[in-house]
Amino acid sequence: MQYMLLIYSDESSRALFGTEASNLAYGDFTRSLIKSGHMIAGEALQDSHTAVTVSVRKDKIRVVQGAFAKTKEQLGGYYLIEAENMKEAQSIAAKIPTATIGRVEIRPIMLFKN
Amino acid sequence: MPSPHMSKMSEVDEEQLKLIFICCHPALNKQAQIALSLKVIGGLSTEKIASAFLTSEATMAQRLVLAKQKIKKAGIAFKLPATDDLASRVDIILSSIYFIHNESYVATNSNCLTRVNLADEAVNLCRNVCHFMPNNAEAKGLLALMLLQLARIEARVDVNSDFVPLELQDRNLWVSSKIFEGKQLSTKL
Amino acid sequence: MQYMLLIYSAESERPQYGTPEFEQNMNDYFAFTKEIGETGHMVAGDGLQDTNTATTATVRNGKTEVVNGPFAETKEQFGGYYLIEAKDLDDAVAVAAKIPTAKMGRIEVRPVMVFSQD
């Protein structure tokens, strides 16, 4: 089954991202995920202040500065993984470096390929 | 592609117009838009912008750095908006200009009721927009509005820095050239 | 440049499975996905199951804690994403605006971080 692991953390603590230590930790984690065959995809996202939020109402496109959620913890990245079940997905999520300072949401993917 | 309501312009003019649109991109927050517009289009120094908004130079410098970083990180391109987006993007520019104008016109934290420099900057920015988009009625309308308000700036405040209502203002202190231009613009709308 | 288009909408407002609206929504999404495949924007995309299937994990002091539910209980919930390749932000916004859910929800457009050592 496919799961999305959504990595949330306080962006001020995210200044850690891109540091030597963080890169090493994530590098190790990603490599182990590939090795174990769980890895499908993963990306880090730029900070929430680089985001815009788009909506269309009455055919008019509205572009607003900022991320969707105005929460202290913001989405910083994700992994898409293949796992046996939710329990296995959770144990993988717990190994994500940011899990120790932030939170990881685990959500099953909807599968409806046409 | 330039829309019909923008006149044929020189390459230099088009580059300037692109700059204006970038400075007021909706991906930037209002503060960033205003700081960038005054710096990049208005050519004001960071120090001057900071003092006009009663912040420290360091704060303003940081704001500008973050804005430029955001432009780079978010991938805001140096180009004119698509025809469909033009009207809403011009709206953003005009609202930022009007914000700058209002900052000067109404007392915020200063003792003096007016801060004339920002008012002139807002007018200059608006003149820029009118120059590059001569068929844009909203830009002309805003310029007229600001000029008519500015014409009375000297008369709005008395020697004690107190507000003087319109009926009591000394007409001799009204700047007739601004009134003239403002009226001209509004009759052409 | 790569952008994540994060799709948010109120779960209660989404078309319910089995209804004609649901069919229509699916068709709209297939059409959209096909279109961005042809324009070269499409890199990846997935729908997520509802938030009642979500769990959230944290690790504190070496201990793993898992709670039921999504990261945050908000009115609009994260329901899916597209990863796209776009020329610039305006291009990404134009793509985001075409996502069917943009008409009743909101799409966050976030640039992907690129690491020099990839």
Side-chain angles (χ1 to χ4, degrees):
Chain A
M1 276 191 72
Q2 289 188 12
Y3 296 86
M4 200 165 181
L5 308 181
L6 300 154
I7 306 164
Y8 290 91
S9 65
D10 185 334
E11 276 182 342
S12 51
S13 69
R14 242 194 124 197
L16 308 171
F17 224 123
T19 60
E20 222 25 77
S22 175
N23 284 343
L24 284 171
Y26 267 97
D28 286 346
F29 174 75
T30 307
R31 270 187 293 274
S32 75
L33 210 59
I34 294 171
K35 204 157 167 230
S36 60
H38 291 109
M39 174 81 167
I40 299 174
E43 302 284 351
L45 304 182
Q46 298 274 14
D47 274 4
S48 62
H49 79 92
T50 64
V52 293
T53 300
V54 178
S55 56
V56 178
R57 301 288 187 268
K58 299 193 175 127
D59 289 334
K60 268 202 87 183
I61 300 176
R62 202 167 162 249
V63 180
V64 175
Q65 188 271 335
F68 160 78
K70 309 293 179 196
T71 47
K72 196 152 157 290
E73 283 170 309
Q74 290 283 348
L75 183 65
Y78 70 93
Y79 282 94
L80 200 55
I81 63 165
E82 183 69 46
E84 279 299 312
N85 47 37
M86 181 54 101
K87 257 204 122 51
E88 194 185 24
Q90 285 165 358
S91 70
I92 292 170
K95 299 206 188 93
I96 291 174
T98 306
T100 57
I101 49 162
R103 292 189 277 166
V104 181
E105 179 180 326
I106 304 134
R107 195 95 76 88
I109 299 290
M110 241 194 259
L111 288 166
F112 43 50
K113 305 295 179 195
N114 46 331
Chain B
M1 289 262 88
S3 84
H5 83 260
M6 285 197 296
S7 64
K8 271 195 163 56
M9 60 180 85
S10 68
E11 234 181 83
V12 171
D13 280 0
E14 194 173 310
E15 300 298 282
Q16 273 289 100
L17 187 56
K18 284 176 190 172
L19 268 180
I20 295 175
F21 276 110
I22 290 184
C23 288
C24 293
H25 196 281
L28 300 168
N29 65 36
K30 261 300 172 239
Q31 278 191 333
Q33 288 179 21
I34 284 155
L36 273 180
S37 297
L38 287 171
K39 179 122 185 102
V40 172
I41 315 295
L44 292 183
S45 69
T46 307
E47 194 201 335
K48 279 208 144 156
I49 304 172
S51 72
F53 286 99
L54 304 175
T55 54
S56 72
E57 192 178 342
T59 304
M60 190 54 71
Q62 178 68 335
R63 196 174 292 172
L64 287 165
V65 165
L66 282 176
K68 288 175 187 171
Q69 274 182 0
K70 167 144 190 186
I71 290 174
K72 188 154 181 264
K73 282 185 186 171
I76 296 173
F78 188 66
K79 68 179 196 195
L80 295 173
T83 313
D84 295 340
D85 295 335
L86 217 51
S88 64
R89 296 283 294 271
V90 171
D91 271 352
I92 299 173
I93 296 171
L94 296 180
S95 81
S96 290
I97 292 174
Y98 192 50
F99 184 92
I100 296 169
H101 166 83
N102 284 334
E103 274 295 297
S104 72
Y105 195 57
V106 177
T108 49
N109 296 319
S110 68
N111 295 325
C112 176
L113 199 58
T114 63
R115 271 183 277 153
V116 187
N117 286 337
L118 275 184
D120 289 342
E121 292 310 321
V123 164
N124 285 333
L125 285 171
C126 204
R127 282 196 200 288
N128 258 288
V129 177
C130 289
H131 170 74
F132 296 121
M133 307 184 78
N135 298 323
N136 190 291
E138 282 79 18
K140 279 215 195 74
L142 178 60
L143 183 58
L145 174 68
M146 295 193 297
L147 284 170
L148 289 169
Q149 286 185 337
L150 278 182
R152 299 190 299 267
I153 237 179
E154 296 298 324
R156 277 189 91 225
V157 177
D158 67 16
V159 285
N160 300 316
S161 294
D162 289 329
F163 174 69
V164 179
L166 189 60
E167 324 80 75
L168 301 176
Q169 286 177 15
D170 181 355
R171 267 72 176 145
N172 291 323
L173 293 177
W174 288 5
V175 181
S176 50
S177 57
K178 287 199 165 97
I179 295 179
F180 180 74
E181 191 185 351
K183 280 188 171 167
Q184 281 245 298
L185 283 163
S186 28
T187 51
K188 280 188 192 153
L189 290 173
Chain C
M1 275 188 72
Q2 284 194 352
Y3 295 84
M4 268 290 262
L5 308 181
L6 304 156
I7 305 166
Y8 290 90
S9 64
E11 280 174 356
S12 54
E13 287 172 25
R14 294 180 201 170
Q16 296 304 303
Y17 182 73
T19 63
E21 290 78 23
F22 187 86
E23 272 295 309
Q24 183 59 58
N25 192 242
M26 298 267 57
N27 291 334
D28 291 343
Y29 264 99
F30 288 146
F32 170 77
T33 307
K34 184 160 178 271
E35 185 190 332
I36 60 171
E38 285 161 1
T39 54
H41 288 106
M42 174 75 170
V43 175
D46 282 297
L48 304 186
Q49 294 193 28
D50 276 3
T51 50
N52 58 17
T53 65
T55 61
T56 302
T58 55
V59 176
R60 299 288 188 270
N61 302 318
K63 236 191 119 213
T64 303
E65 279 174 30
V66 179
V67 295
N68 279 328
F71 152 75
E73 300 287 352
T74 47
K75 192 165 154 288
E76 285 164 307
Q77 292 286 353
F78 180 49
Y81 73 93
Y82 280 93
L83 180 63
I84 64 165
E85 183 70 46
K87 276 195 317 240
D88 52 49
L89 184 61
D90 285 357
D91 189 23
V93 165
V95 173
K98 292 203 190 115
I99 292 175
T101 307
K103 292 200 276 264
M104 50 76 103
R106 289 186 281 166
I107 319 292
E108 180 179 327
V109 178
R110 193 96 78 91
V112 166
M113 215 187 267
V114 178
F115 296 98
S116 41
Q117 74 270 26
D118 242 55

